[in-house]
């Protein structure tokens, strides 16, 4: 399966509104049910690179970039891909993006999938695509509200990350030489965190992209989670 094929099916799928169905959506969901590892070819290349750059891997996870974005396998034991496709709505978004919303019949749950120019992306990347960005030693730091950012915040975040590395026994020089880097999305408030992640919380770690999403500029609790995973290299979720 290639991104070229995905781009083609996106032009064929009916747009916007509930109850969209058809062989294209069914095919996408069938791959998710039967061959989830093949979805790696659908992830946008730049985001796939971000997902892989720190070498963190999770056992029994076919595609790291899609952690938490795929429909749980047990759902397909109850509903076929065709049944789920019949409950899928496709909404056009800005800047070449689309959002596919799969509603689970008879359940108060739905799963959203974001596409950018025919490849799989995520809500975090979509909603933060135009945020102001800053680079530091350890972080790509994106800010929702530039008026809330001060360089001292990023300096403190870097210094504390270096200190935490020492505490965890991570060689900071080696990590820096290997290009270790985290993404940090500094949201306006917990409602914006929910918009990005789907969870109403002040902050959380996104394991798919070694990312912190938080309404705090220095959320060390979530940084520690990712540093521990980096130290372990390969672990179970």
């Amino acid at each position: 399966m290639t991104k070229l094929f995905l781009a083609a099916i996106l032009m064929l799928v009916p747009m916007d509104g509930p109850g969209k169905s058809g062989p294209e959506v069914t095919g996408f969901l069938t791959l998710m049910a039967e061959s989830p590892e093949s979805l790696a070819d659908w992830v946008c290349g730049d985001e796939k690179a971000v997902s892989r750059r720190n070498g963190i891997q999770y056992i029994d996870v076919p595609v790291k970039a899609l952690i938490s974005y795929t429909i749980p396998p047990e759902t397909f034991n109850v509903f076929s891909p065709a049944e789920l496709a019949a409950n899928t709505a496709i909404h056009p978004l800005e800047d070449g993006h689309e959002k596919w919303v799969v509603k689970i019949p008879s359940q108060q749950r739905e799963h959203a999938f974001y596409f950018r120019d025919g490849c799989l992306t995520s809500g975090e990347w979509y909603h933060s695509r135009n945020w102001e960005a800053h680079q530091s030693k350890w972080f790509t730091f994106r800010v929702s509200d530039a008026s809330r950012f001060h360089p001292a915040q990023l300096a403190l975040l870097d210094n504390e990350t270096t200190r935490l590395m020492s505490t965890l026994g991570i060689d900071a020089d080696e990590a820096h030489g290997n290009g270790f880097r985290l993404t940090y999305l500094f949201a306006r408030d917990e409602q914006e965190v929910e918009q990005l992640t789907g969870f109403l919380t002040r902050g959380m770690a996104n394991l798919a992209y070694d990312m912190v999403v938080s309404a705090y500029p220095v959320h060390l609790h979530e940084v520690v989670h990712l540093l521990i995973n980096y130290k372990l290299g390969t672990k179970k979720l």
Side-chain angles (χ1 to χ4, degrees):
M1 180 60 63
T2 67
K3 288 183 286 185
L4 179 61
F5 177 74
L6 176 58
I9 70 172
L10 286 174
M11 292 187 291
L12 296 174
V13 176
M15 303 301 295
D16 205 9
K20 301 302 184 187
S21 62
E24 297 81 17
V25 180
T26 302
F28 170 73
L29 295 173
T30 298
L31 282 178
M32 187 172 296
E34 300 179 358
S35 182
E37 65 279 359
S38 67
L39 295 180
D41 293 334
W42 290 31
V43 178
C44 297
D46 52 344
E47 295 169 14
K48 188 188 303 184
V50 169
S51 179
R52 293 174 172 176
R53 68 184 171 193
N54 293 325
I56 303 172
Q57 301 181 57
Y58 299 99
I59 297 172
D60 298 327
V61 174
V63 185
K64 181 187 170 188
L66 297 180
I67 291 175
S68 81
Y69 299 133
T70 54
I71 296 173
E74 57 268 21
T75 301
F76 291 106
N77 295 331
V78 181
F79 303 103
S80 70
E83 289 175 311
L84 294 181
N87 287 275
T88 297
I90 301 179
H91 307 281
L93 302 174
E94 298 176 347
D95 300 331
H97 289 75
E98 292 178 348
K99 181 180 180 180
W100 293 21
V101 180
V102 183
K103 295 185 178 181
I104 308 302
S106 72
Q107 299 180 22
Q108 298 297 317
R109 293 191 297 117
E110 62 182 34
H111 296 269
F113 300 94
Y114 288 79
F115 294 89
R116 187 191 78 210
D117 296 327
C119 61
L120 272 171
T121 180
S122 73
E124 288 89 344
W125 293 120
Y126 170 70
H127 290 293
S128 69
R129 69 194 186 283
N130 295 322
W131 290 11
E132 181 177 281
H134 302 267
Q135 304 294 330
S136 72
K137 181 176 182 179
W138 301 120
F139 293 89
T140 295
F141 193 90
R142 293 188 178 187
V143 186
S144 172
D145 181 355
S147 69
R148 298 182 61 213
F149 173 75
H150 191 281
Q153 296 165 336
L154 191 48
L156 176 61
L157 187 61
D158 262 352
N159 290 339
E160 288 299 300
T161 297
T162 301
R163 179 185 64 81
L164 289 169
M165 283 181 167
S166 178
T167 300
L168 294 170
I170 297 172
D171 187 320
D173 290 336
E174 180 179 352
H176 189 253
N178 290 336
F180 175 81
R181 175 169 293 274
L182 302 177
T183 300
Y184 198 111
L185 302 185
F186 180 24
R188 183 178 294 104
D189 50 34
E190 62 185 27
Q191 285 73 34
E192 191 166 53
V193 173
E194 181 181 29
Q195 181 187 48
L196 270 69
T197 68
F199 297 93
L200 183 61
T201 178
R202 297 293 292 178
M204 62 183 295
N206 178 309
L207 302 185
Y209 293 105
D210 303 340
M211 173 191 291
V212 173
V213 184
S214 180
Y216 299 113
V218 184
H219 202 150
L220 296 180
H221 177 80
E222 304 304 338
V223 172
V224 167
H225 282 306
L226 297 175
L227 291 179
I228 291 173
N229 292 351
Y230 176 70
K231 171 70 174 179
L232 294 174
T234 301
K235 67 183 292 291
K236 289 187 176 182
L237 284 178

